[in-house]
Amino acid sequence: MSMDQALQTYIEESHGLLEEMEAILLRLENEPQDDETVNAMFRAAHTIKGSAGLFGLDAIVAFTHVVENVLEEVRDGALSVDGELVELLLECRDHIGLLIAVVAESGGALDAAQTAAGEALAGRLRARRGGAPAHAAGVPAIHESPVAASGGGPVEGDCWHLSIAFGHEVLKNGMDPISFIRYLSTIGDIVSLAIDDSELPGLEEMDPEACYLSYSIEFRSEADKQTIEDVFEFVREDCRLRIFPPPSHLAAFVERLEHASGNTDMLGQLLIEAGILTGHELETALRAQDSMAAGDTGTRPPIGEVLVRDGLVQKEVVDVALEKQRQIRDHKAQEARFVRVSAEKLDELINLVGELVIAGAGASLLARRSGDAALHEANSAVANLVEEIRDGALKLRMVEIGETFNRFQRVVRDMSRELGKDIGLEIGGADTELDKTVVEKIGDPLMHLVRNAMDHGIEAVEARVAAGKPAKGTLRLNAYHDSGSIVIEVADDGGGLKKEKILRKAIERGIVGPGQNLSDSEICNLVFEAGFSTAEQVSNLSGRGVGMDVVKRNIQALRGSVDIESAEGRGTTVRIRLPLTLAIIDGFLVGVGKSSFVVPLDMVLECIELSEADRQIAAARSYVNLRGEVLPFVRLRDEFEIKAPPGKRENIVVVQYGGQKAGFVVDELLGEFQTVIKPLGSVFRHLKSISGSTILGTGEVALILDVPALLQLGVARDAQRLVRET
Amino acid sequence: MEATLRIGARHDNGLCKLRIEGELTIYNALQIRDGLLEHLASSQDVEVDLGGVSEMDTAGFQLLLAAKREGARLGKTVRYVSHSPAALEVIDLYNMAAQFGDPLLISARQ
Amino acid sequence: MAKTIMVVDDSASLRQVVGIALKGAGFDVLEACDGRDALSKITGQKIHLIISDVNMPNMDGISFVKEVKKMASYKFTPIIMLTTESQEAKKQEGQAAGAKAWVVKPFQPAQMLAAVSKLIMP
């Protein structure tokens, strides 16, 4: 007899069973059949499924399982038979026949159309089923043979300790401890075995067919606790089994507990999940707990205590599990204190609050004009509340930066391995909060800085040791609040920037004039200059230039600034300063003709009046003399093609951006102004010189100037003019 | 086929020589226990020849253990000799060669 | 002398596959297609383990186990019931009748061998 022959038998047998099924179905359609006949039909499907499993014909098992479930309900009277069901079952019978022909006979698989047809049938079958238990609905998995287990490998000489007291009935049930012990030795080594016969009565008093023995076994195995327990599954109800893990498992258990998924906060379940306790052991302990609660003392001891008392789990492990349980519960409690709100809804709210601020400003203006003191007062109260609401609404969108920082753990780990360096990541100020929209945008620049620091900042191990530094380099991410901004630092304890080389290179590239006198800080910050390219790999500083200008631009786009500080040989710190939120801007309001513009306040250096003399000179050129310095300027009137003629007076708002100073020529200075930014509609996206808009209290729109873009436009035009003039 | 068992006994000067022929298993446990009790009562020392044991299980093993203890309790000796491979295997597995190994047990595994 | 296992199931192919696995492990195998057939074949044999399906024509597994447990020469013989996951009640019934071991259908030959090895050695 071979498996091939057995398969042949299976095919023939299945044909016979399918014919029987068909015959019964046809009879069933016309008249009710007796129980045995219906059962025979169920059995046919059951048999086809069962044997298919033996041959590993999973497709047949899966489909027949659904049929079997329906037939089971028919047999049990839970499902009544009608013409439609018979028709459906006949189709299923044919599909099984097809499966047998294709899968069993030819060893193939159904094609897509056939598979789909089968799925449709299974779907219809499931639909016919009434209140079927959920478990039966799924397709059964072929039960895999027990696989030797997870869990830490045993240390040499480190044994499981098994204590088994067999119940009196086991021998009569045909269960011989000898067999279990032999089986045990197939999944490990029995190091020693001792028999306890203290329960064995005298020869005359004993029941020779009963079992009185207990066993203590020292067992060395890589199997896990469940696998070991399963050896005794057939006598599980008839014996007292204790499985003590090897001492070396203690550490592994503790570790597994610490990494528990947090899906459960029940102590017993936690221990089961970590493979420390088996389901059966927990049930026994819970029963013991119940009986203690029902006993004389009437108190219910904690389950942990019961487990330790019964020696099922070591006290140290229970302590760790309790701690983990506390953590999970804390976490849950914390979750319960939070409400999840979609970011979209928050944005909507903040938008509305923005409108409210603007509308409030309008109302205040009217109230002031009306001269009604009481109205004015009531309005200021409203305005104050609106301001509080605005701040509160913005705070809702604040998130901790810790999560962003933590993502770098993996990056640092992987990259230090790649680079062959030993680098640790330290995180500080993880609980510092900032606007979610800022967090989303800061990831890329941070990644760039972290990579740069690891690749070019921190030296190779040998170099570090030679320099008398610890072999392990440290990268530090830190965040803190500083006067309305958030500061994020990326610091390394690497070699630092080589200022001399930077300066030399900057001069080579024409970024710095040969005679220019620069401070250390100014030199360091040269690495952010666009022209500071790094085609040539010079020591570890050159890399720092890679894309640093891009980083700077990204940060400035967030209305932030970046600064670098470095001590040669000791390390480098890049400091990013960002506004806490992108939704609000501290602006400086200026007027040109009837139009209003907002200049971001942090870029405004000073305002000066454009004197009559300057105006005349300035008419011909685009710079003025500011205390002996050349100050290029941009006329907003020209820039935005405002037709209204200039007023009697003109002013210059001096702005600074990226170490570059410039002026904007405007008519009126209207003062500081905090406002909510409204993004421009997509129609205006291409407008380079405007970054957003806001609505004034009067209902008028003010455009927010994109200072960097304006300056660049100015520079470009100057260059053109120079070309023309020469 | 009924489980076969034969207990042969030969008395010699207060020493009873028993021979168990057949299965030393739960199926014969009652019968063997009764035989052991009977001979232990009538003799000073009992020597059980296990050479004819064709099969042995935990019930059989437990009987040997109980008989040995019973003998000690009565101030008599119970000795097992000429262990068959089937008997040796169980005694070995149970690590009880020291207790059951009289007069000299040569482990089947050695 | 090899030990003998009786396989009782109405599926010839199941009996054959289980038979192949058991013979491969060094057992002798006796087949029966239902409870009644098994009872007629069991007397006068020396069988060390019985593997029986539950749902069979003529005589089902539960009745068969009850009969076997009444026989002097088989009352202590271990019995493996072939149960189905949805039939927890049948498994309980089988255990009460005296079949203390079980294997859940559908199973693979290796699983059957593992269950058998926990009960007897060839």
Side-chain angles (χ1 to χ4, degrees):
Chain A
M1 179 60 63
S2 70
M3 279 304 269
D4 279 348
Q5 284 168 295
L7 184 62
Q8 221 40 62
T9 309
Y10 171 69
I11 292 162
E12 283 159 29
E13 175 183 274
S14 300
H15 285 315
L17 289 166
L18 287 173
E19 264 167 47
E20 189 186 351
M21 205 172 145
E22 185 174 61
I24 297 172
L25 277 169
L26 292 173
R27 269 185 284 154
L28 200 59
E29 192 170 21
N30 300 319
E31 54 189 298
Q33 298 290 317
D34 62 70
D35 290 353
E36 179 46 34
T37 308
V38 179
N39 187 26
M41 187 169 61
F42 162 77
R43 200 165 53 227
H46 180 68
T47 301
I48 292 172
K49 179 182 96 172
S51 299
L54 275 173
F55 293 103
L57 304 170
D58 294 355
I60 300 180
V61 173
F63 183 76
T64 323
H65 179 71
V66 188
V67 178
E68 185 193 337
N69 281 333
V70 169
L71 291 175
E72 190 175 16
E73 288 195 4
V74 170
R75 183 194 62 181
D76 298 344
L79 202 62
S80 58
V81 179
D82 53 26
E84 198 190 323
L85 182 62
V86 169
E87 183 57 41
L88 174 58
L89 286 170
L90 281 170
E91 282 180 55
C92 291
R93 177 228 163 265
D94 294 344
H95 189 72
I96 297 173
L98 176 71
L99 279 165
I100 303 251
V102 175
V103 181
E105 289 181 47
S106 329
L110 296 189
D111 63 33
Q114 288 165 329
T115 307
E119 273 162 18
L121 282 174
R124 282 164 66 197
L125 282 172
R126 289 194 192 97
R128 280 307 294 249
R129 300 185 63 205
H135 74 87
V139 169
I142 300 280
H143 297 272
E144 291 294 336
S145 45
V147 185
S150 60
V155 171
E156 191 64 30
D158 206 357
C159 294
W160 292 82
H161 178 79
L162 275 59
S163 149
I164 318 144
F166 287 97
H168 290 181
E169 297 303 305
V170 294
L171 301 179
K172 292 179 193 174
N173 288 332
M175 309 284 140
D176 194 323
I178 292 173
S179 305
F180 296 114
I181 290 163
R182 280 197 185 122
Y183 187 79
L184 196 62
S185 64
T186 63
I187 61 164
D189 287 328
I190 296 175
V191 176
S192 74
L193 180 147
I195 292 181
D196 174 4
D197 62 356
S198 55
E199 296 291 316
L200 182 65
L203 189 58
E204 195 165 359
E205 294 79 30
M206 77 183 285
D207 171 359
E209 294 168 356
C211 185
Y212 299 98
L213 303 179
S214 299
Y215 300 77
S216 293
I217 300 171
E218 295 296 318
F219 183 55
R220 189 181 295 146
S221 173
E222 300 204 9
D224 64 10
K225 198 173 187 180
Q226 188 65 55
T227 308
I228 295 172
E229 194 189 86
D230 282 348
V231 171
F232 301 94
E233 72 177 322
F234 300 143
V235 284
R236 201 63 193 88
E237 301 301 325
D238 295 318
C239 77
R240 205 169 44 75
L241 172 67
R242 290 287 159 72
I243 304 170
F244 302 95
S248 68
H249 279 42
L250 210 74
F253 284 170
V254 167
E255 199 186 317
R256 265 183 266 166
L257 270 176
E258 278 163 357
H259 291 94
S261 66
N263 289 335
T264 174
D265 64 345
M266 306 292 283
L267 191 73
Q269 294 299 330
L270 261 173
L271 290 166
I272 290 177
E273 194 186 295
I276 298 163
L277 197 65
T278 67
H280 194 277
E281 287 174 334
L282 177 62
E283 263 171 51
T284 314
L286 286 170
R287 272 201 297 275
Q289 190 190 26
D290 284 344
S291 65
M292 272 182 257
D296 344 313
T297 57
T299 50
R300 175 182 290 266
I303 188 71
E305 233 168 69
V306 178
L307 292 172
V308 172
R309 194 207 56 183
D310 288 357
L312 290 169
V313 185
Q314 298 92 322
K315 180 152 192 331
E316 301 90 307
V317 176
V318 168
D319 287 345
V320 174
L322 282 171
E323 172 62 20
K324 182 71 194 177
Q325 180 188 36
R326 203 186 52 73
Q327 281 175 14
I328 292 171
R329 290 203 169 148
D330 278 2
H331 190 72
K332 279 200 175 155
Q334 223 167 40
E335 266 179 12
R337 286 206 303 273
F338 286 119
V339 182
R340 278 179 171 279
V341 180
S342 84
E344 217 169 279
K345 280 188 185 169
L346 266 186
D347 290 347
E348 246 168 62
L349 175 71
I350 285 166
N351 220 358
L352 272 179
V353 170
E355 302 280 354
L356 182 63
V357 170
I358 290 158
S364 291
L365 195 71
L366 286 176
R368 253 202 318 271
R369 279 189 197 155
S370 74
D372 182 334
L375 179 62
H376 184 57
E377 202 168 308
N379 234 307
S380 355
V382 170
N384 282 339
L385 286 172
V386 165
E387 205 161 293
E388 274 176 45
I389 287 175
R390 184 199 61 198
D391 291 348
L394 287 172
K395 259 189 206 136
L396 289 181
R397 217 166 47 177
M398 299 293 246
V399 293
E400 292 183 357
I401 199 167
E403 210 170 303
T404 309
F405 279 179
N406 278 330
R407 259 182 277 145
F408 287 99
Q409 294 281 14
R410 183 65 194 270
V411 174
V412 170
R413 187 177 146 270
D414 290 354
M415 201 174 153
S416 53
R417 189 168 301 168
E418 230 170 82
L419 292 169
K421 294 178 183 177
D422 188 8
I423 302 173
L425 175 65
E426 279 180 15
I427 287 174
D431 54 356
T432 311
E433 290 189 325
L434 74 166
D435 194 296
K436 200 174 89 48
T437 50
V438 183
V439 166
E440 281 162 4
K441 289 176 178 144
I442 197 64
D444 281 350
L446 268 186
M447 179 69 79
H448 211 114
L449 291 173
V450 165
R451 288 211 170 129
N452 250 337
M454 292 181 68
D455 196 2
H456 306 291
I458 293 174
E459 318 92 319
V461 174
E462 309 81 61
R464 290 184 65 87
V465 173
K469 292 169 146 187
K472 182 174 184 145
T474 304
L475 184 75
R476 192 173 155 75
L477 290 173
N478 190 27
Y480 53 90
H481 282 157
D482 180 48
S483 57
S485 310
I486 181 170
V487 179
I488 300 170
E489 290 178 345
V490 181
D492 66 61
D493 64 348
L497 294 175
K498 308 228 169 5
K499 301 190 177 78
E500 235 172 84
K501 290 190 179 173
I502 294 177
L503 190 58
R504 203 168 59 225
K505 182 163 266 184
I507 293 169
E508 268 170 34
R509 314 259 146 136
I511 298 166
V512 179
Q516 244 175 307
N517 212 349
L518 294 177
S519 70
D520 278 1
S521 154
E522 280 169 327
I523 295 171
C524 286
N525 281 295
L526 285 173
V527 298
F528 289 117
E529 292 306 316
F532 198 85
S533 143
T534 55
E536 185 196 351
Q537 291 283 320
V538 184
S539 77
N540 60 13
L541 74 92
S542 51
R544 281 225 176 258
V546 175
M548 288 296 257
D549 56 323
V550 178
V551 171
K552 183 169 189 175
R553 263 211 305 283
N554 286 343
I555 289 165
Q556 278 170 338
L558 297 173
R559 303 207 317 275
S561 63
V562 60
D563 177 65
I564 196 165
E565 186 188 309
S566 182
E568 215 165 318
R570 288 212 307 278
T572 305
T573 300
V574 178
R575 210 166 276 121
I576 301 168
R577 187 177 281 268
L578 290 166
L580 284 180
T581 171
L582 299 181
I584 284 188
I585 187 168
D586 274 320
F588 189 76
L589 192 63
V590 297
V592 181
K594 280 185 180 157
S595 306
S596 302
F597 296 93
V598 178
V599 186
L601 189 63
D602 52 2
M603 294 184 186
V604 176
L605 278 184
E606 61 181 317
C607 301
I608 48 171
E609 200 186 324
L610 194 59
S611 65
E612 194 51 46
D614 279 341
R615 277 178 83 170
Q616 284 175 6
I617 305 166
R621 57 175 202 224
S622 54
Y623 59 86
V624 291
N625 182 343
L626 176 66
R627 295 186 289 276
E629 219 179 295
V630 173
L631 181 76
F633 61 73
V634 174
R635 290 174 190 276
L636 292 188
R637 170 169 276 100
D638 299 347
E639 191 60 41
F640 293 100
E641 294 172 13
I642 294 162
K643 297 281 175 336
K648 285 190 210 108
R649 284 177 166 178
E650 275 185 308
N651 293 286
I652 293 185
V653 180
V654 181
V655 295
Q656 181 167 31
Y657 165 79
Q660 195 182 345
K661 278 184 195 170
F664 292 139
V665 178
V666 303
D667 294 354
E668 277 179 287
L669 302 175
L670 299 169
E672 285 179 29
F673 173 72
Q674 194 184 49
T675 190
V676 178
I677 300 176
K678 300 185 75 68
L680 287 175
S682 51
V683 182
F684 303 109
R685 280 282 148 73
H686 65 279
L687 282 183
K688 278 273 165 51
S689 43
I690 294 166
S691 64
S693 70
T694 185
I695 298 170
L696 302 177
T698 54
E700 283 162 28
V701 172
L703 297 174
I704 299 165
L705 298 180
D706 185 342
V707 174
L710 269 173
L711 291 191
Q712 237 159 11
L713 280 175
V715 168
R717 258 191 304 248
D718 276 354
Q720 280 174 3
R721 190 178 305 160
L722 277 173
V723 170
R724 276 200 307 272
E725 282 171 7
T726 50
Chain B
M1 183 170 78
E2 287 297 310
T4 52
L5 176 76
R6 211 169 58 85
I7 303 176
R10 202 155 47 84
H11 291 263
D12 179 14
N13 228 351
L15 173 72
C16 172
K17 289 191 169 181
L18 281 179
R19 180 169 164 89
I20 297 174
E21 199 78 50
E23 289 179 15
L24 183 47
T25 65
I26 187 168
Y27 282 104
N28 299 323
L30 276 166
Q31 207 186 333
I32 295 169
R33 192 265 306 266
D34 291 348
L36 284 169
L37 268 178
E38 183 197 323
H39 294 289
L40 203 52
S42 62
S43 327
Q44 179 55 38
D45 297 314
V46 179
E47 188 181 275
V48 186
D49 180 342
L50 299 174
V53 171
S54 60
E55 217 178 289
M56 179 162 144
D57 63 7
T58 299
F61 168 81
Q62 201 174 235
L63 274 175
L64 298 185
L65 203 59
K68 185 119 183 147
R69 281 194 358 188
E70 187 74 3
R73 194 177 65 83
L74 299 171
K76 303 178 177 181
T77 47
V78 174
R79 242 186 351 254
Y80 302 115
V81 297
S82 318
H83 311 66
S84 74
L88 264 186
E89 203 190 330
V90 174
I91 293 169
D92 251 11
L93 183 83
Y94 278 162
N95 237 348
M96 295 290 266
Q99 282 89 331
F100 286 0
D102 32 20
L104 220 201
L105 183 78
I106 292 150
S107 170
R109 288 187 197 162
Q110 285 168 8
Chain C
M1 195 182 75
K3 290 183 180 164
T4 305
I5 297 176
M6 180 176 235
V7 182
V8 190
D9 196 296
D10 52 330
S11 163
S13 62
L14 181 137
R15 295 196 304 268
Q16 285 175 7
V17 176
V18 171
I20 291 169
L22 293 176
K23 283 175 194 157
F27 294 101
D28 283 341
V29 178
L30 196 64
E31 293 181 24
C33 62
D34 58 45
R36 199 194 289 166
D37 185 32
L39 282 180
S40 73
K41 286 177 178 166
I42 202 171
T43 8
Q45 295 284 338
K46 173 104 187 103
I47 290 163
H48 292 82
L49 173 76
I50 297 167
I51 298 169
S52 174
D53 192 17
V54 178
N55 196 340
M56 295 179 290
N58 300 318
M59 181 189 276
D60 70 23
I62 308 284
S63 313
F64 167 62
V65 170
K66 284 179 182 161
E67 288 302 316
V68 168
K69 285 286 157 184
K70 285 184 205 158
M71 303 168 79
S73 38
Y74 291 115
K75 61 178 173 179
F76 303 129
T77 301
I79 304 174
I80 296 177
M81 270 283 171
L82 301 180
T83 63
T84 307
E85 255 177 301
S86 59
Q87 287 179 309
E88 183 61 28
K90 282 283 173 204
K91 181 172 143 189
Q92 301 288 344
E93 217 181 309
Q95 291 209 19
K100 297 289 178 178
W102 64 89
V103 170
V104 179
K105 273 188 180 181
F107 57 86
Q108 289 175 341
Q111 288 166 270
M112 176 54 79
L113 277 182
V116 168
S117 315
K118 289 174 189 174
L119 300 170
I120 62 167
M121 286 283 161

